[in-house]
């Protein structure tokens, strides 16, 4: 253990102090190169080939906010197609039949342009607001391309609509897709809630890319009645909702990770009923038990999220 | 330097180190990177800019074949009968950037919504939205109580109180059906302004009402009744922000406010049982208290150099709650001292901070460091309160325990591209959690992880990831204020010694240009190595196979299968025994799958189908004890078929058919009538099952 900790400390020193020197050295070698040329007529040059019948139709871009010349922040307020796709004079040159056009910046996981470079183009305008924390975030740090989720040349970008967004996310998050087919879920598969209702996918303060700084604060945006603070707090509730609940789907009601009374008996072992093993002898047909059936523990301890009643210390009032 | 000192360095020193790194880096001058290009001939004469007004409206009708709260849980398709189909979109664009979007969705359902957005692009934006969201929980519950939906539940005239539910002679005649359901109605509106270059100001306000009834319960000692709790919540939320976006510096200053009001403070109910003591004829629950939360957030991102980037966030908040206290009891025969205070004056200060530096040291080497701090400082005053247990008897006075905690996480990680197609990453995380008034003061966790990402060939990508974490705790000492005491051997799992190992594998294969297959698996094992009583271990494994097929230029299909197993073992001891007297196992197994196909049959006809299947089984066993529990189970089969036929250029017809069959068995609910449990007057709701057909026909016209 000691060896591992020393290693970690050494690593820290490297990370924090070797960076500046190394970065300066790495950047000092950058040489000047003649910049590639832009087309003579901008988008008019591009649209000569890229109409709706071409292999790469592009006209849907004109249904989007990117194609608004009056907004000088947008591609068509700047260098039109070449704002994003880069200087295109070489690409636009006619070539003998059978030869390929000179490459131009294209987007997608199969592009010749590295994902990091593609994303830099998008971030050139969009690294603001909630995307400030993109770099180094789980998506940004793992080089997820912006266009892996966003469809730029489309009237409606599926990931921006509540109903269609989850399917975009499920392309990679397959376990979550299965979770939402479980019996107890948030209303994602019903089209009433999207992944970004809870997650800030472009980077966040909180773990799991949550929209608020902590997990509980995220849950309170819809469940403010559980925020308190209560006179009688239930310690694991105030600490972390996921101590008892799982957010995406469960086979147990109310998205619980496990069924009462065993869920409660993971932490409660007092003399008397909390520590008694409940068997199927307590089911209908045997000796039906209120410790097991209907609401189980919450048949009495119904204020499980906290109580503000002066006599509510046991969360029964 | 010993291990503890190292941990102190890692836990507390990282912010200092990272700050030092920030300060020691060279600051580059802001530069305008926009190239000078002659655009005098870029007239865009071929550009079909979107201008003018366009709209579409869809109108039609549908039919649901049967009643089911579970089927229509969140949509409003919960009752047999017809419903209207109403959807519409409208948009306006002008050359000067003025725009308007209007969207109306599910007009004929309880989940309807309306959204209006507009403004002048690049200058300002306004929006207004309205949304309804139902939640139908059950329509099979029954209750003898009158006044459902209010804060006062009474028993009908002629009610005969008894010692147990089976001898309540007026119960059968008094039972009536109740719907447990809620509905949210929200209005949100706001604006965003970009009055000057690099700055955006935004404000968003949201008002939500949530009304209806939810299940709750109240007891007199061990005699309990399930109760319909009234829900009448108002929540107002406001987000206001000012954001700066420069080429190297981005910053955001934001305020978030949330004001929650519960219009029903209490739920009182008549005791249907023979009072255990004189005067215990009615009980009262304090419902969720109204509360407030205010938070200021500052976020910033800074490009320290072309290869180093830093982000930082600080959020400062305060939660308050000061609802007037209820009396200790409604039982006038029990004497109490005056309340120590009229209300809680509850206050929790929150402070969250995050600092992260990411760097691409070279094109191949990446190093990152991060530190996160989260403090919950509960300043609620402590007092001694009398305790009247369930309006029945006086117990020892108690002191409230306002829990505080501090959670800090430090991370360093790095990655190196060994070759163009092989990359390895590794990292270390130190996680420290401090609590007060609980069994332990501090947990510390060291987590080590590694990851390899490889492109095996042009068609195959592979990702492997694994981690090992060790959590250790300070002395586990029970808080003497928490009575009766837990078994001294109990170790609560969120603060127990734990080893956590995880492994993940993912393979994506592009078999041909038209066929892609993915395989993913993950395994996680939590071992609470020092726990004798409590949760002992948990295991979670998942395997997913999915495939996509482009069967032709006009036909595509996808399918997936997922298997998940969630297991855990726990122990407990009756009579405060010094070793476990019983063990329990949980074993949840879930299989889900789906097939989807889309076919563009002609310029006039599009077809599609989706089939989803889900099977779950929950096995619970108390080791060595009989009788054994039956399995919990659920079975879902869902088929959706849809077709779109374009009658004319502007008119299309849509036909959709949805069949869903759901069966569930749950021993907590099945066969439990209001009289089944002698000391619990229950709702008697069964586990949900349904068999539903839905058909809709609609026409969409493009204006």
């Amino acid at each position: 253990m000691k060896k591992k900790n020393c290693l970690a400390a050494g690593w820290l020193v490297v990370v924090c102090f070797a960076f500046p020197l190394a970065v300066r050295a790495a950047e000092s070698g950058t040489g000047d190169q003649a910049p590639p040329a832009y087309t003579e007529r901008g988008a008019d040059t591009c649209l000569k080939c890229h109409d709706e019948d071409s292999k790469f139709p592009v006209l849907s871009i004109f249904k989007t906010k990117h194609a608004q010349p009056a907004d000088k922040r947008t591609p068509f307020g700047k260098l039109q197609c070449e704002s994003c796709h880069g200087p295109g004079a070489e690409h636009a040159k006619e070539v003998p039949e059978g030869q390929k056009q000179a490459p131009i910046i294209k987007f997608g996981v199969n592009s010749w342009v590295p994902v990091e470079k593609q994303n830099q183009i998008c971030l050139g305008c969009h690294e603001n607001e909630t995307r400030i924390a993109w770099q180094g975030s789980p998506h940004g740090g793992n080089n997820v391309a912006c266009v892996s989720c966003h469809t730029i040349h489309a009237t409606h970008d599926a990931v921006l609509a509540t109903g269609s967004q989850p399917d975009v996310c499920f392309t990679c998050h397959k376990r979550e897709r299965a979770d939402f087919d479980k019996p107890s879920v948030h209303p994602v598969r019903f089209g009433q809630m999207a992944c970004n209702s809870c997650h800030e996918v472009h980077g966040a303060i909180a773990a799991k890319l949550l929209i608020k700084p902590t997990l509980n604060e995220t849950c309170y945006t819809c469940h403010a009645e559980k925020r308190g603070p209560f006179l009688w707090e239930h310690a694991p509730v105030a600490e972390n909702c996921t101590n008892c609940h799982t957010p995406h789907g469960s086979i147990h009601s109310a998205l619980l990770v496990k069924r009462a009374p065993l869920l409660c008996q993971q932490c409660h072992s007092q003399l008397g009923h909390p520590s008694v093993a409940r068997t199927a002898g307590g089911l209908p047909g045997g000796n039906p038990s209120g410790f097991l059936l209907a609401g189980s523990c919450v048949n009495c301890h119904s204020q499980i999220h906290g109580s503000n009643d002066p006599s509510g210390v046991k969360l029964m009032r | 330097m010993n291990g503890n000192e190292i941990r102190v360095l890692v836990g507390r020193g990282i912010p200092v180190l990272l700050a030092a790194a920030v300060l020691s880096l060279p600051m580059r001058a802001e530069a305008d990177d926009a190239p000078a290009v002659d655009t005098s001939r870029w007239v865009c004469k071929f550009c079909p800019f979107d201008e003018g007004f366009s709209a579409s409206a869809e109108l039609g009708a549908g039919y649901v074949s049967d009643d089911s709260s579970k089927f229509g849980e969140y949509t409003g398709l919960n009752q047999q009968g017809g419903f209207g189909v109403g959807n519409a979109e409208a948009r306006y664009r002008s050359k000067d950037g003025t725009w308007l979007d209007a969207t109306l969705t599910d007009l004929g359902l309880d989940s309807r919504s309306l959204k209006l957005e507009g403004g002048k692009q690049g200058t300002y934006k306004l929006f207004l939205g309205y949304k309804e969201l139902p939640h139908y929980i059950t329509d099979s519950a029954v209750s003898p109580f009158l006044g459902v939906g209010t804060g006062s539940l009474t028993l009908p005239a002629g009610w005969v109180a008894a010692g147990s539910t089976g001898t309540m002679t007026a119960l059968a005649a008094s039972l009536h059906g109740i719907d447990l359901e809620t509905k949210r109605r929200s209005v949100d509106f706001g604006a965003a302004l970009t009055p000057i270059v690099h700055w955006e100001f935004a404000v968003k306000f949201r008002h939500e009402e949530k009304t209806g009834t939810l299940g709750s319960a109240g007891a007199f000692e061990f005699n309990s009744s399930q109760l319909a709790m009234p829900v009448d919540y108002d929540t107002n939320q406001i987000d206001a922000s000012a954001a700066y976006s420069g080429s190297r510096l981005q910053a955001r200053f934001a305020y978030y406010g949330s004001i929650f009001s519960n219009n029903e403070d209490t739920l009182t109910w008549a005791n249907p049982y023979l009072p255990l003591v004189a005067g215990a004829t009615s009980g009262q629950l304090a419902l969720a208290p109204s509360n407030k939360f205010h938070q200021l957030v500052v976020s910033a991102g800074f490009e320290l150099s072309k290869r180093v980037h830093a982000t930082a966030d600080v959020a400062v908040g305060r939660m308050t709650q000061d609802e007037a206290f209820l009396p200790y009891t409604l039982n006038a025969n029990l004497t109490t001292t005056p309340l120590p205070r009229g209300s809680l004056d509850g206050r929790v200060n929150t402070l969250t901070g995050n600092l992260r530096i990411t760097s691409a040291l070279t094109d191949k080497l990446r190093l990152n460091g991060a530190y996160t701090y989260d403090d919950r400082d509960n300043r609620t005053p402590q007092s001694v309160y009398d305790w009247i247990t369930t309006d029945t008897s006086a117990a020892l006075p108690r002191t409230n325990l306002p829990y505080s905690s501090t959670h800090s996480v430090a991370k360093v990680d790095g990655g190196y591209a060994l070759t163009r197609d092989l990359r390895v990453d590794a990292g270390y995380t130190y996680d420290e959690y401090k609590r007060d008034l609980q069994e332990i003061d501090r947990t510390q966790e060291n987590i080590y992880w590694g990851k390899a990402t490889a492109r095996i060939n042009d068609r195959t990508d592979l990702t492997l990831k694994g981690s090992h974490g060790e959590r250790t705790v300070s002395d586990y000492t029970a808080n003497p204020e928490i009575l009766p005491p837990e078994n001294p051997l109990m170790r609560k799992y969120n603060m127990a010694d734990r080893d956590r190992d995880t492994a993940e594998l993912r393979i994506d294969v592009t078999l041909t240009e038209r066929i892609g297959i993915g395989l993913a698996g993950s395994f996680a094992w939590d071992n609470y190595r020092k726990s004798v009583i409590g949760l002992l271990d948990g295991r979670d494994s998942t395997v997913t196979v999915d495939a996509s097929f482009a069967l032709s230029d006009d036909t595509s299909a996808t399918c997936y299968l997922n298997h998940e197993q969630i297991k855990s073992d726990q122990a407990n001891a009756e009579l405060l025994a010094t070793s476990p007297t019983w063990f329990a196992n949980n074993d949840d197994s879930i299989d889900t799958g789906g097939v989807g196909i889309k076919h563009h049959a002609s310029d006039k006809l599009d077809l599609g189908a989706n089939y989803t299947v889900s099977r779950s089984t929950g096995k619970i066993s108390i080791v060595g004890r009989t009788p054994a529990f039956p399995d919990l189970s659920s079975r879902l089969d869902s088929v959706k078929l849809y077709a779109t036929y374009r009658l004319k250029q502007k008119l299309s017809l849509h036909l959709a058919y949805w069949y869903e069959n759901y069966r569930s068995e749950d021993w907590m609910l099945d066969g439990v009538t209001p009289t089944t449990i002698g000391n619990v007057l229950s709702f008697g709701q069964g586990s949900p099952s349904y068999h539903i057909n839905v058909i809709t026909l609609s026409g969409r016209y493009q204006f």
Side-chain angles (χ1 to χ4, degrees):
Chain A
M1 181 62 70
K2 202 171 187 177
K3 194 174 175 183
K4 289 176 183 172
N5 285 326
C6 288
L7 191 64
W11 195 355
L12 262 180
V13 172
V14 170
V15 167
C16 296
F17 292 108
F19 272 10
L21 296 175
V23 168
R24 285 180 196 176
E27 292 182 348
S28 63
T30 307
D32 293 333
Q33 292 179 342
Y38 284 79
T39 58
E40 289 185 3
R41 296 177 185 274
D44 287 337
T45 309
C46 310
L47 295 176
K48 279 183 181 175
C49 298
H50 292 284
D51 58 19
E52 288 306 276
D53 297 325
S54 79
K55 188 178 177 184
F56 301 106
V58 301
L59 295 184
S60 295
I61 194 73
F62 294 103
K63 294 283 188 184
T64 73
K65 290 182 176 177
H66 277 143
Q68 178 49 267
D71 183 355
K72 298 304 176 191
R73 305 170 305 168
T74 68
F76 276 78
K78 297 176 182 171
L79 297 173
Q80 301 175 354
C81 309
E82 291 158 273
S83 295
C84 302
H85 293 280
E90 280 300 311
H91 175 73
K93 282 182 181 171
E94 287 189 23
V95 294
E97 197 171 326
Q99 285 190 19
K100 284 189 172 179
Q101 302 288 136
I104 194 167
I105 293 172
K106 72 171 193 175
F107 295 82
V109 290
N110 293 321
S111 167
W112 63 273
V113 182
V115 167
E116 196 176 350
K117 302 288 184 192
Q118 295 176 38
N119 289 353
Q120 279 176 3
I121 293 167
C122 304
L123 291 170
C125 296
H126 292 286
E127 193 170 25
N128 55 13
E129 285 284 337
T130 54
R131 289 169 291 272
I132 288 175
W134 168 262
Q135 302 204 36
S137 69
H139 286 142
N142 283 296
N143 266 351
V144 174
C146 301
V147 295
S148 290
C149 304
H150 291 283
T151 307
I152 309 304
H153 288 252
T155 308
H156 296 291
D157 184 0
V159 79
L160 298 182
T162 300
S164 52
Q165 182 189 92
D167 281 339
V168 178
C169 303
F170 295 159
T171 307
C172 296
H173 298 279
K174 301 171 194 299
R175 178 176 177 155
E176 285 70 21
R177 173 181 57 193
D179 280 343
F180 285 109
D181 284 329
K182 291 176 182 173
S184 178
V185 292
H186 278 114
V188 171
R189 83 177 176 99
F190 300 93
Q192 304 300 322
M193 191 174 174
C195 306
N196 73 349
S197 300
C198 299
H199 298 283
E200 179 43 74
V201 297
H202 299 109
I205 301 176
K208 306 294 181 187
L209 293 175
L210 295 171
I211 56 171
K212 293 296 179 190
T214 68
L215 182 138
N216 280 24
E217 286 172 24
T218 302
C219 301
Y220 298 151
T221 57
C222 292
H223 303 285
E225 75 278 8
K226 296 179 174 64
R227 183 166 51 207
F230 294 94
L231 168 60
W232 306 108
E233 293 192 316
H234 191 186
V237 175
E239 180 175 306
N240 190 320
C241 302
T242 61
N243 280 330
C244 300
H245 297 279
T246 182
H248 297 132
S250 172
I251 71 167
H252 307 292
S253 63
L255 288 155
L256 289 170
V257 296
K258 186 182 281 190
R259 186 161 299 238
L262 289 177
L263 172 65
C264 309
Q265 289 175 318
Q266 290 180 157
C267 292
H268 293 291
S269 58
Q270 293 101 328
L271 182 67
H273 70 270
S275 59
V276 174
R278 307 289 168 186
T279 69
L283 300 187
N287 182 21
S289 170
F291 295 112
L292 195 62
L293 302 173
S296 184
C297 304
V298 296
N299 283 331
C300 297
H301 303 278
S302 58
Q303 306 284 62
I304 199 68
H305 295 107
S307 170
N308 209 51
D309 190 302
S311 287
V313 62
K314 292 297 173 186
L315 308 179
M316 295 169 74
R317 280 294 184 268
Chain B
M1 186 178 283
N2 61 32
N4 281 335
E5 288 168 331
I6 293 284
R7 278 191 283 274
V8 169
L9 167 68
V10 174
R12 297 181 183 169
I14 276 191
V16 177
L17 292 169
L18 293 181
V22 171
L23 295 173
S24 62
L25 280 163
M27 296 295 175
R28 294 164 58 243
E30 290 270 356
D32 184 2
D33 294 332
V37 181
D38 177 10
T39 59
S40 58
R41 297 172 68 193
W42 293 29
V43 293
C44 226
K45 64 182 178 185
F46 299 131
C47 300
F49 289 112
D50 191 18
E51 289 176 20
F53 177 82
S54 62
S56 67
E58 180 184 9
L59 289 173
Y63 182 79
V64 182
S65 66
D66 208 347
D67 293 342
S68 172
S69 283
K70 182 65 178 172
F71 176 73
E73 187 174 4
Y74 291 110
T75 59
L77 296 171
N78 60 313
Q79 290 187 326
Q80 182 185 27
F83 64 93
V85 175
N87 299 292
E89 284 184 353
R91 58 188 273 142
Y92 170 78
R93 297 288 185 275
S94 80
K95 196 175 278 185
D96 69 352
T98 304
W99 64 283
L100 176 69
D101 281 343
T103 309
L104 176 66
T105 308
D106 291 337
L107 178 63
L109 299 177
D110 289 347
S111 53
R112 59 186 64 84
S113 66
L114 171 69
K115 190 174 182 182
L116 298 171
E117 286 184 287
K120 186 169 184 181
Q121 198 175 319
T123 306
Y124 70 93
K125 172 182 154 183
L126 304 171
F127 69 90
L128 170 67
Y130 173 76
K131 168 75 182 158
E132 295 182 11
L133 178 62
H135 187 195
Y136 297 104
I137 298 160
T138 180
D139 53 8
S140 65
V142 294
S143 173
F145 290 101
L146 304 176
V148 169
T150 73
S152 177
L153 298 176
T154 58
L155 290 163
W159 179 261
V160 181
S164 73
T165 57
T167 54
M168 293 176 180
T169 53
L171 176 60
S174 305
L175 291 174
H176 57 94
I178 59 170
D179 292 332
L180 297 180
E181 60 189 46
T182 62
K183 188 160 193 176
R184 294 174 188 258
R185 294 178 180 84
S186 63
V187 175
D188 59 309
F189 56 91
L193 302 172
T194 48
I196 47 177
V197 177
H198 298 312
W199 283 91
E200 178 165 307
F201 301 89
V203 62
K204 182 168 69 177
F205 180 80
R206 180 184 177 89
H207 171 75
E208 182 184 89
E209 297 172 8
K210 182 178 177 182
T211 55
T213 51
L214 289 171
S216 186
F220 294 87
E221 293 290 358
F222 285 101
N223 290 332
S224 167
S225 304
Q226 288 195 301
L227 307 170
M229 179 182 79
V231 174
D232 188 0
Y233 302 155
D234 289 336
T235 307
N236 293 306
Q237 297 180 78
I238 185 168
D239 284 282
S241 65
Y244 172 80
S245 173
S247 62
R248 294 181 56 221
L249 171 67
Q250 302 83 38
R252 183 171 186 266
F253 308 88
Y255 161 76
Y256 170 69
S258 172
I259 315 293
F260 168 76
S261 303
N262 190 350
N263 301 312
E264 291 281 359
D265 300 335
T266 61
L267 174 60
T268 60
W269 77 102
N271 185 358
Y273 298 88
L274 285 170
L276 297 170
V277 299
T281 54
S282 62
Q284 189 173 48
L285 292 174
L287 301 184
S290 300
N291 63 67
K292 299 174 183 174
F293 180 52
H294 301 279
Q295 187 175 55
L296 293 172
V297 183
V298 179
S299 309
F302 190 73
E303 183 189 289
L304 296 162
S305 78
K306 284 289 185 190
R307 291 178 177 273
V308 183
H309 194 273
T311 56
D313 313 84
V314 177
V316 182
R318 176 174 292 184
M319 302 175 185
T320 55
Q321 186 273 108
D322 205 22
E323 187 83 45
F325 281 143
L326 300 177
Y328 282 117
T329 179
L330 294 182
N331 189 339
N333 293 329
L334 297 171
T335 55
T336 60
T337 62
L339 281 162
R341 46 197 313 120
S343 59
L344 183 61
D345 190 21
R347 182 159 57 97
V348 174
N349 295 333
T350 62
L351 172 62
T352 311
N354 180 53
L355 175 64
R356 184 170 69 215
I357 292 184
T358 58
S359 81
L361 198 58
T362 70
D363 287 343
K364 290 185 173 183
L365 178 62
R366 189 167 60 192
L367 291 174
N368 306 314
Y371 177 78
T372 303
Y373 179 84
D374 170 26
D375 184 57
R376 182 184 195 269
D377 181 12
N378 195 335
R379 297 294 186 91
T380 300
Q382 285 188 282
S383 303
V384 177
Y385 292 83
D386 284 359
W387 175 23
I388 302 299
T389 178
T390 62
D391 290 288
T392 305
S393 59
L396 285 175
R398 295 297 182 92
T399 303
N400 62 310
L401 300 173
Y403 298 112
S404 295
S405 61
T406 304
H407 186 200
S408 47
V409 180
K411 296 178 180 179
V412 286
D413 62 80
Y416 188 76
L418 293 170
T419 68
R420 198 186 64 144
D421 296 324
L422 176 61
R423 177 177 188 84
V424 291
D425 293 84
Y428 165 71
T429 300
Y430 173 72
D431 187 309
E432 181 182 85
Y433 216 122
K434 292 179 178 175
R435 302 169 175 86
D436 68 355
L437 303 176
Q438 297 196 56
E439 287 81 353
I440 61 104
D441 294 330
R442 184 167 69 160
T443 62
Q444 296 167 290
E445 186 168 18
N446 296 288
I447 303 164
Y448 309 89
W449 62 269
K451 178 181 169 185
T453 310
R455 168 151 276 210
I456 307 294
N457 54 46
D458 287 348
R459 296 182 181 276
T460 309
D461 293 296
L462 170 73
T463 303
L464 270 170
K465 187 176 179 183
S467 72
H468 173 72
E470 294 176 11
R471 186 170 72 189
T472 55
V473 308
S474 56
D475 288 341
Y476 198 100
T477 308
N479 183 339
E481 294 283 346
I482 299 175
L483 295 170
E486 302 286 352
N487 189 309
L489 296 174
M490 166 57 74
R491 295 292 179 269
K492 296 180 179 178
Y493 61 94
N494 59 325
M495 41 189 169
D497 287 279
R498 181 188 70 189
D499 289 344
R500 170 171 283 179
D501 294 287
T502 68
E504 292 177 40
L505 165 70
R506 180 165 173 163
I507 304 172
D508 291 296
V509 182
T510 306
L511 288 179
T512 70
E513 279 192 3
R514 292 180 176 272
I515 301 175
I517 292 178
L519 169 68
S522 65
F523 176 75
W525 179 33
D526 288 350
N527 177 20
Y528 298 87
R529 58 185 184 279
K530 292 186 179 176
S531 296
V532 178
I533 291 176
L535 186 61
L536 304 180
D537 67 54
R539 284 147 287 155
D540 188 323
S541 54
T542 305
V543 177
T544 303
V545 180
D546 66 292
S548 59
F549 308 90
L551 300 173
S552 69
D553 289 345
D554 295 321
T555 308
S556 63
T558 59
C559 66
Y560 72 93
L561 287 170
N562 188 90
H563 173 74
E564 183 179 12
Q565 197 98 25
I566 306 167
K567 295 183 176 184
S568 66
D569 302 313
Q570 63 189 91
N572 217 312
E574 289 139 334
L575 302 173
L576 293 181
T578 54
S579 61
T581 59
W582 58 273
F583 294 87
N585 310 133
N586 277 262
D587 185 353
D588 295 345
S589 176
I590 305 104
D591 294 289
T592 56
V595 179
I597 187 164
K598 291 179 183 174
H599 177 57
H600 182 63
S602 70
D603 288 344
K604 290 200 166 194
L605 181 64
D606 286 306
L607 300 168
N610 288 307
Y611 172 57
T612 304
V613 59
S614 176
R615 302 281 186 269
S616 74
T617 306
K619 296 179 185 294
I620 293 173
S621 63
I622 309 297
V623 178
R625 298 201 184 184
T626 56
F629 283 99
D631 288 351
L632 305 158
S633 71
S634 71
R635 300 166 59 88
L636 171 76
D637 293 278
S638 179
V639 177
K640 292 179 180 176
L641 307 173
Y642 52 93
T644 298
Y645 184 75
R646 278 171 286 282
L647 280 173
K648 297 178 180 178
Q649 188 181 0
K650 292 188 173 183
L651 179 63
S652 59
L653 288 179
H654 301 266
L655 178 65
Y657 170 69
W658 182 5
Y659 164 79
E660 201 159 287
N661 182 25
Y662 180 75
R663 293 283 178 269
S664 64
E665 293 177 2
D666 184 341
W667 46 254
M668 281 182 85
L669 301 175
D670 294 335
V672 181
T673 69
T675 58
T676 299
I677 315 167
N679 63 337
V680 179
L681 178 52
S682 70
F683 286 139
Q685 68 191 93
S687 55
S689 291
Y690 60 79
H691 185 88
I692 303 276
N693 295 277
V694 181
I695 190 163
T696 59
L697 178 63
S698 61
R700 176 179 288 271
Y701 189 78
Q702 197 91 28
F703 296 98

